[in-house]
């Protein structure tokens, strides 16, 4: 038997604009995606038993409905091989959070199997498979932050520094479809691609992201889920000395994050928020200090 194990990162969206809607109903977007060091743990082992089996994963999700199983079956079919595989997935990234956990797991499954079985599928071929599984999957096959556009399939690397972040995930989860089908969703944003790639200094880009960009899904998410409003409020009410520079929802929610000026402040904020949740009967809320990842070197184990 052969085995490969990988840590699978979550992501946040520094901003997310909807620039239009295609005739087939898919929305066109522009966003900056950043991987962060909040990881699922993925292990794939060759097996004498036929087919793809899975342990772990989301509670209540049948293996055949899991994106990692769908990814594995799609790649094996394309490669015309019938090697048995067992996938063990330890979920740490919450679902329905706007953090891309399911898409990341699918992307890393494709890359890991390609490496484990020495299939030699090109990266573009893996991305094509991934795009059929979810709009965020192609991003996770990159290596660090990226400007993402189209329906998520256009991924352009973007150099970004490490950013100290605190993520607040309320108990409620939000179905992406509920946000994108909402009548109040703004779908006519102007493109900011030229601006994003036109800044000569990273500080200029981050200032633009903070002051002029937004997550256009957030107002709708706040209508659909009051806990998003509460999460924003928790971060914004932190004492001045450990307050975030700015606060925004990630993806289609329900997670909200704050960007901090230092890792020390982020850790202090994490501690204060956890304590506040304990005394406020918010013990089901998740609070986690993370850092954005300029590079995701673990990918080198799967795709060269």
């Amino acid at each position: 038997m052969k085995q490969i194990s990988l840590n699978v990162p979550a992501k946040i969206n520094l901003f997310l604009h909807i620039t239009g809607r295609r005739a087939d109903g898919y929305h066109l977007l522009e966003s900056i995606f950043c991987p962060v060091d909040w990881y699922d743990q993925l292990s794939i082992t060759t097996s004498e038993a036929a087919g793809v089996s899975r342990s772990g994963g989301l509670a209540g999700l049948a293996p055949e409905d899991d994106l990692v199983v769908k990814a594995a079956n799609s790649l094996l079919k394309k490669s015309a091989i019938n090697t048995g595989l067992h996938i063990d997935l330890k979920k740490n990234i919450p679902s329905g959070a706007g953090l891309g956990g399911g898409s990341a797991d699918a992307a890393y499954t494709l890359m890991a199997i390609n490496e484990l079985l020495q299939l030699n599928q090109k990266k573009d071929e893996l991305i094509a498979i991934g795009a059929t599984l979810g709009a965020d999957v192609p991003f996770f096959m990159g290596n660090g932050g990226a400007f993402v556009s189209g329906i998520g399939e256009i991924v352009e690397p973007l150099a970004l520094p490490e950013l100290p972040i605190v993520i607040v995930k309320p108990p409620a989860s939000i179905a992406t479809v509920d946000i994108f089908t909402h009548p109040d969703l703004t779908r006519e944003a102007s493109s900011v691609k030229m601006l994003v790639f036109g800044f000569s200094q990273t500080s200029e880009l981050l200032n633009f992201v903070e002051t002029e960009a937004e997550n256009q899904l957030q107002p709708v998410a706040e209508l659909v889920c009051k806990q998003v409003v509460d999460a924003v409020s928790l971060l914004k009410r932190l004492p001045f000395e450990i307050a975030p520079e700015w606060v925004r929802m990630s993806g289609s929610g329900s997670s909200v994050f704050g960007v901090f000026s230092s890792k020390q402040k982020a850790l202090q904020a994490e501690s204060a928020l956890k304590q506040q949740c304990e005394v406020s009967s918010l013990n089901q809320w998740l609070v986690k200090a993370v850092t954005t990842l300029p590079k995701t070197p673990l990918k080198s184990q799967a795709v060269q």
Side-chain angles (χ1 to χ4, degrees):
M1 293 191 302
K2 295 193 298 182
Q3 182 181 74
I4 186 169
S5 298
L6 294 172
N7 289 329
V8 181
K11 62 85 178 166
I12 59 169
N13 302 82
L14 294 188
F15 74 86
L16 198 161
H17 295 175
I18 305 299
T19 59
R21 191 176 190 178
R22 300 195 320 194
D24 59 8
Y26 282 97
H27 287 77
L28 301 171
L29 61 86
E30 290 187 347
S31 181
I32 291 179
F33 283 44
C34 293
V36 298
D37 57 352
W38 192 351
Y39 299 106
D40 286 344
Q41 295 170 316
L42 175 71
S43 180
I44 303 177
T45 308
T46 56
S47 171
E48 294 181 358
V52 178
S53 59
R54 186 217 66 189
S55 56
L58 288 175
L61 181 66
E64 61 269 20
D65 296 326
D66 197 321
L67 283 180
V68 297
V69 175
K70 292 181 178 181
N73 282 324
S74 294
L75 181 54
L76 292 177
K77 181 178 179 180
K78 176 176 175 55
S79 304
I81 62 172
N82 57 4
T83 302
L85 294 171
H86 179 73
I87 301 172
D88 183 68
L89 178 62
K90 182 180 180 183
K91 288 295 296 178
N92 298 307
I93 304 167
S95 61
L99 300 175
S103 294
D105 295 333
Y108 273 64
T109 295
L110 291 170
M111 295 188 292
I113 293 172
N114 193 49
E115 172 69 15
L116 180 68
L117 302 182
Q118 298 182 345
L119 300 178
N120 298 317
Q121 296 283 357
K122 294 181 179 179
K123 185 175 179 180
D124 287 347
E125 295 169 331
L126 297 180
I127 289 174
I129 295 173
T132 68
L133 301 170
D136 292 348
V137 177
F139 161 72
F140 285 104
M141 294 183 183
N143 188 11
F147 181 82
V148 178
S149 57
I151 61 170
E153 83 284 11
I154 304 172
V155 180
E156 300 173 78
L158 189 63
L160 293 167
E162 290 187 359
L163 298 174
I165 303 287
V166 173
I167 297 173
V168 176
K169 166 63 173 72
S173 296
I174 299 178
T176 302
V177 66
D178 292 341
I179 303 300
F180 279 100
T181 58
H182 199 282
D184 290 345
L185 179 64
T186 299
R187 299 179 173 90
E188 299 177 348
S190 299
S191 175
V192 296
K193 179 177 178 177
M194 296 300 292
L195 282 172
V196 167
F197 285 99
F199 294 114
S200 58
Q201 302 291 328
T202 303
S203 59
E204 295 175 339
L205 171 60
L206 293 177
N207 181 66
F208 164 78
V209 168
E210 175 185 355
T211 60
E212 297 186 49
E214 60 181 318
N215 184 340
Q216 294 181 333
L217 306 183
Q218 185 169 334
V220 173
E222 291 177 347
L223 291 174
V224 170
C225 179
K226 182 182 178 298
Q227 288 183 1
V228 173
V229 179
D230 296 337
V232 171
S233 180
L234 274 176
L235 282 160
K236 287 187 173 180
R237 290 204 312 262
L238 283 166
F240 175 78
E241 61 272 14
I242 57 171
E245 301 296 302
W246 48 281
V247 174
R248 191 161 290 161
M249 187 181 78
S250 183
S252 57
S254 60
S255 288
V256 174
F257 65 90
V259 179
F260 290 79
S261 59
S262 70
K263 290 184 179 180
Q264 181 181 6
K265 283 189 176 182
L267 290 171
Q268 290 173 331
E270 177 192 42
S271 178
L273 287 168
K274 284 183 174 179
Q275 187 173 29
Q276 184 176 347
C277 287
E278 289 177 3
V279 301
S280 304
S281 300
L282 301 177
N283 56 315
Q284 298 300 312
W285 290 56
L286 295 176
V287 178
K288 188 170 181 66
V290 300
T291 303
T292 61
L293 302 169
K295 297 290 183 182
T296 45
L298 285 179
K299 286 190 176 66
S300 64
Q301 296 183 27
V303 172
Q304 300 297 326

